[in-house]
């Protein structure tokens, strides 16, 4: 069981509350070409066999196996070439004993043929292929014939509900003759940064001001999790602007609002102050990401929106998204796998960890020799190290009971999108 600091909830408890509030979104039908990154919700079934018909795996000659069963370099066998079957041809030429058809990879194999002899196993190869050919090596029976339906039959399931449509999955369903796929509607997510110190990146900064960056970070993380970002806003700590944004989000019937900042213990915690009736604020036994807010807001048309109040420190916001918001977005889409796979990798340097809280450390995975993991930022796990975050492509997770990681210790690691770039 995860260790608990007094007054802290565990990550699992908080995530459990979040996931209990998730109801999968409605489905929609998408053209395959327009469905990358979406989640299948109804089994996609093949409309054609794969292969569609018996076809050749090699450029060469379709032959009657019995004619060439004894062919060898010492005993070459010459066949008459009576047909030419390019890819796309619907011809099914009759082959009498002693006859062959020139055939290309992917062309339909004549019903009379039961083996393919590649050009390489003939005397003249492609150069001398339209009148006769001399076979120098016996093919196995059925050699180089790809049988109809040996991969999938029409009606077979190609992809099941909960599958992410990546390039390979899209290729597979297109090959199976599927034109449209039933997927989850993308979650519509509003990103709301809070803080009177925040100004748009690039604007001149007076003392006390910083570039607003969490909305860029969180919008990108939401899109990477399959969501559609419905507005990025930054509001001050006064409260009026936040109320207006929440009203606009409710009217627009967004599925999720992700706030950052304004959830801890200060005097101007705008999310906490304005949304205390809708959201619950708790302290979670993790570092970063200790202060967390979560709630469900009724919005237009009887729907409701999930509200996440993430801490404002940029590393805290990123980790909190990864730990709580991303699984929720995937569950909304009906995705089967909502948690990242966990690797166990040895640490290549030593680092300290916060006592009593599970550490989620932005990390670098080195893959040049044996794989290893190290902190991404020289300053350790500081939740304000927003620039060093750019070095991270992974997260190292260290249990609350552990207070230091030594070189060679194995730790849990999540690889993030683009980890291999
Ligand atoms: N007395 C206590 N103080 C704090 C506690 C605590 O338990 N007791 N918890 C600390 C922890 S842990 C965290 S994390 C932060 C979380 O604070 P908030 O969520 O209220 O966030 P802010 O105070 O608004 O901002 C924190 C930090 O992050 C910067 N920030 C905020 N939003 C953005 C943005 N959109 N782009 C870039 N940077 C942003 C902000 O300027 C602050 O530096 O509270 C601790 N305090
Ligand atoms: O928990 Mo805070 O998120 O340490 O930085």
């Amino acid at each position: 069981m995860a260790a608990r600091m007094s007054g802290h909830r565990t990550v699992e408890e908080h995530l459990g509350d979040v996931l209990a509030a998730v109801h999968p979104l409605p489905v929609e039908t998408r053209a395959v070409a327009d469905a990358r990154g979406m989640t299948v919700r109804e089994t996609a079934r093949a409309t054609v066999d794969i292969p569609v018909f018996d076809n050749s795996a090699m450029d060469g000659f379709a032959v009657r196996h019995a004619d060439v069963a004894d062919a060898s370099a010492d005993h070459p066998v010459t066949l008459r070439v009576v047909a030419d079957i390019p890819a796309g041809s619907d011809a099914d030429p009759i082959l009498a004993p002693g006859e062959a058809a020139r055939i290309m990879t992917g062309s339909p194999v004549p019903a009379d043929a039961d083996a393919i002899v590649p050009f390489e196993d003939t005397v003249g190869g492609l150069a001398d292929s339209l009148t006769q050919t001399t076979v120098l090596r016996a093919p196995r029976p059925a050699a180089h014939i790809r049988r109809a339906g040996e991969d999938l039959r029409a009606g077979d399931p190609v992809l099941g509900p909960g599958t992410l449509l990546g390039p390979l999955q899209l290729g597979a369903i297109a090959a199976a003759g599927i034109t449209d796929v039933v997927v989850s509607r993308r979650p519509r997510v509003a990103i709301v940064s809070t803080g009177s110190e925040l100004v748009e990146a690039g604007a001149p900064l007076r003392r006390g001001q910083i570039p607003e960056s969490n909305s860029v970070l969180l919008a990108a993380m939401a899109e990477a999790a399959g969501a559609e970002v419905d507005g990025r806003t930054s509001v001050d700590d006064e409260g009026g602007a936040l109320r207006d944004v929440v009203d606009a989000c409710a009217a627009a019937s967004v599925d999720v609002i992700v706030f950052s900042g304004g959830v801890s213990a200060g005097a101007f915690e705008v999310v906490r102050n304005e949304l205390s009736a809708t959201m619950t604020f708790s302290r979670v036994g993790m570092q970063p990401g200790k202060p967390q807010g979560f709630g469900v807001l009724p919005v237009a048309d009887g729907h409701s929106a999930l509200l996440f109040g993430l801490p404002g420190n940029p590393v805290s916001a990123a980790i909190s998204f990864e730990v709580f918001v991303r699984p929720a977005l995937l569950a909304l889409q009906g995705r089967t796998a909502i948690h990242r796979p966990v690797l166990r990798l040895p640490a290549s340097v030593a680092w300290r960890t916060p006592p009593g809280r599970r550490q989620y450390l932005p990390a670098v995975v080195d893959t040049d020799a044996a794989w290893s993991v190290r902190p991404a930022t020289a300053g350790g796990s500081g939740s304000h190290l927003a620039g060093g975050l750019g070095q991270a492509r992974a997260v190292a997770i260290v249990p609350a009971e552990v207070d230091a990681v030594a070189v060679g210790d194995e730790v849990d690691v999540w690889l993030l999108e683009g980890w291999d770039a």
Side-chain angles (χ1 to χ4, degrees), residues 286-291 311 313 316 357 383:
M286 60 191 288
Q287 199 283 321
K290 180 181 64 176
N313 280 310
S316 313
R357 291 201 274 162
S383 56

Side-chain angles (χ1 to χ4, degrees), residues 54-419:
D54 291 356
N55 69 94
S56 176
M58 299 289 255
D59 300 320
F61 300 94
V63 300
R64 301 168 66 105
H65 182 261
D67 286 346
V68 290
D70 298 322
S72 68
D74 292 338
H75 299 285
V77 174
T78 298
L79 303 171
R80 284 185 308 285
V81 177
V82 296
D84 187 22
I85 313 173
S89 166
D90 65 353
D92 185 4
I94 291 166
L95 301 182
E99 292 181 346
R102 190 172 81 159
I103 193 165
M104 299 301 144
T105 304
S107 300
V109 175
D112 289 340
D114 52 6
I116 304 294
V117 175
F119 285 132
E120 294 85 334
D121 291 347
T122 65
V123 173
L126 173 65
D128 182 17
S129 57
L130 280 175
T131 51
Q132 62 173 42
T133 185
T134 300
V135 177
L136 295 170
R137 185 190 301 181
R140 283 175 290 101
H144 306 305
I145 297 177
R146 309 188 289 201
R147 292 294 177 196
E150 71 181 14
D151 184 9
L152 286 174
R153 289 280 179 200
D156 282 352
V158 188
L159 299 176
T163 309
L164 169 67
L165 289 168
L168 307 188
Q169 290 67 42
L170 293 171
I173 58 177
I178 296 168
T179 56
D180 299 297
V181 59
V182 177
V183 295
S184 172
R185 167 165 82 59
R186 289 187 185 281
R188 287 199 301 274
V189 177
I191 310 284
V192 184
S193 293
T194 71
S196 297
E197 73 282 24
L198 306 173
V199 298
E200 203 175 327
L205 301 176
R206 66 154 170 72
R207 179 175 163 76
Q209 293 182 324
I210 61 168
E212 194 284 306
S213 61
N214 284 350
S215 73
V216 176
L217 165 83
L218 296 171
M221 292 183 88
E223 283 174 357
E228 185 179 288
V229 173
D230 193 331
R232 276 194 302 121
T233 3
S234 183
V235 299
D236 62 22
D237 290 326
E238 299 303 318
L242 181 94
R243 286 194 295 277
D244 291 347
V245 170
V246 171
D247 289 347
C249 289
S253 200
V254 300
D255 302 304
V256 175
I257 310 178
V258 181
F259 301 98
S260 68
V263 297
S264 62
F268 309 100
E269 307 294 13
V270 65
V271 175
R272 199 175 176 126
N273 295 342
E274 294 298 328
L275 292 167
S276 58
T278 317
M279 297 175 75
T280 303
F281 294 89
S282 34
R283 295 192 299 163
V284 179
M286 60 191 288
Q287 199 283 321
K290 180 181 64 176
Q292 294 291 334
F294 178 70
V296 178
L297 175 76
V299 295
D301 310 326
H303 297 299
S304 52
L306 305 180
L307 308 191
F308 291 88
L310 310 186
N313 280 310
V315 182
S316 313
I319 293 295
S320 302
F321 188 100
E322 210 24 64
V323 174
F324 301 116
V325 186
R326 179 178 182 275
L329 291 177
L330 300 185
L332 280 168
Q333 295 167 80
R335 190 80 59 80
T336 309
I338 63 168
H339 300 295
R340 299 230 186 242
V342 177
L343 298 184
R344 293 281 290 170
L345 292 179
S348 59
V349 300
W351 72 83
R352 296 201 57 74
T353 76
R357 291 201 274 162
R358 185 186 299 165
Q359 183 183 40
Y360 288 89
L361 181 70
V364 174
V365 169
D366 293 306
T367 57
D368 29 357
W371 288 26
S372 62
V373 65
R374 60 185 162 87
T377 50
S381 60
S383 56
H384 62 296
L385 302 170
L389 194 57
Q391 301 307 310
R393 297 263 193 278
V395 178
I397 304 149
V398 185
E401 309 76 56
V402 175
D403 51 18
V405 172
V407 173
D409 283 357
E410 292 217 323
V411 295
D412 287 351
V413 176
W414 289 339
L415 301 176
L416 304 180
E417 277 82 15
W419 70 272

